[in-house]
Structures are given as structure tokens and as C-alpha cells.
Amino acid sequence: MRGIKINPADRTITEVDVPNPNKSLQGLYGLIGCDLVQLVELDRGIILCCDEEGKLKPVTGAFTFFGNEELVIAGNAVILGGDADRFKALHENKASFDMIVQWVDPGDVPEPEFTLIPLAEERI
């Protein structure tokens, strides 16, 4: 399946082939260079696949999208078409992402946010 890889360390955006992402995430792990993939559903049937732990590792590059600067992605990402249930054909091309990706200097990447949920005193 055709995808768009964003490599902020090299500041490159390229088309890539993702082998059978609906059957296995191994191809995404290899392209992104991670052990845990996070899926971020963007608009118009676009899924951003990135390293779940990207901000916890030494950041060598990051990016955001024009108009959505509060979403900062640390590390590589692959963009595919689809929704939360299934990857599908990506209708946008590389040129679309060339126009909207904005590079973020590693020192400007916000700290990861954590939410602590206390456990009840009694356990079931």
C-alpha cells in the first residue's frame, strides 16, 4: 500500500510502500523505526502512524502541520489512508504534504503529557 513517510531528522518527505498494513504492523515498525505504533486519525480519511514513544527518546527531529501546530510529532511517521478500523488507499499525494509539513527544531518539542488515573483502594 502506498504511503507517505515523513523523516524530520533528514527533513524529507517520500513515497513508500507499506506491505499489508491491515494484516501486520511489522512494515510500519520498520519504516518508522519503532517498537510501538501510535495511530492518529487526521481529517478526510488520513491516518498518521508514528512512534508512540517518540517524545520519550532523544529527539533528532520533529514536525507539525500548518494550521495544527499544537500537534508536534517527534521522529518518523508514515501517512496512510483509512480510519480507525482499517487502512485504505491514500488519495493525497506527496506534494500535498510538501506544502503543509512544518519542521520543528528538537529543542522546541514539548514534553510528553501524562495522565495519572488513581486506582481504587479496593480491588475487585
Side-chain angles (χ1 to χ4, degrees):
M1 180 175 288
R2 182 182 68 86
I4 304 292
K5 180 179 178 181
I6 302 172
N7 181 333
D10 296 341
R11 295 190 173 200
T12 58
I13 301 171
T14 56
E15 286 197 9
V16 293
D17 181 45
V18 182
N20 299 317
N22 287 311
K23 293 186 181 193
S24 172
L25 296 177
Q26 291 302 316
L28 286 170
Y29 294 147
L31 287 167
I32 297 169
C34 68
D35 296 317
L36 187 60
V37 171
Q38 178 179 3
L39 304 179
V40 180
E41 191 169 3
L42 303 175
D43 63 355
R44 297 178 302 145
I46 301 171
I47 301 290
L48 175 110
C49 309
C50 62
D51 186 350
E52 172 78 27
E53 301 169 323
K55 290 182 182 174
L56 300 175
K57 299 174 181 177
V59 177
T60 58
F63 68 95
T64 188
F65 297 106
F66 180 77
N68 194 9
E69 289 83 6
E70 69 273 0
L71 175 67
V72 176
I73 305 296
N76 296 331
V78 173
I79 297 176
L80 297 170
D83 54 34
D85 296 323
R86 185 162 184 78
F87 294 115
K88 299 176 184 169
L90 178 64
H91 298 289
E92 284 74 14
N93 58 28
K94 178 187 171 297
S96 299
F97 294 98
D98 285 336
M99 290 188 295
I100 64 169
V101 168
Q102 295 179 322
W103 307 116
V104 176
D105 290 327
D108 294 333
V109 174
E111 294 289 322
E113 295 180 17
F114 297 96
T115 303
L116 298 176
I117 302 171
L119 297 175
E121 300 245 350
E122 296 180 26
R123 296 191 181 213
I124 299 175

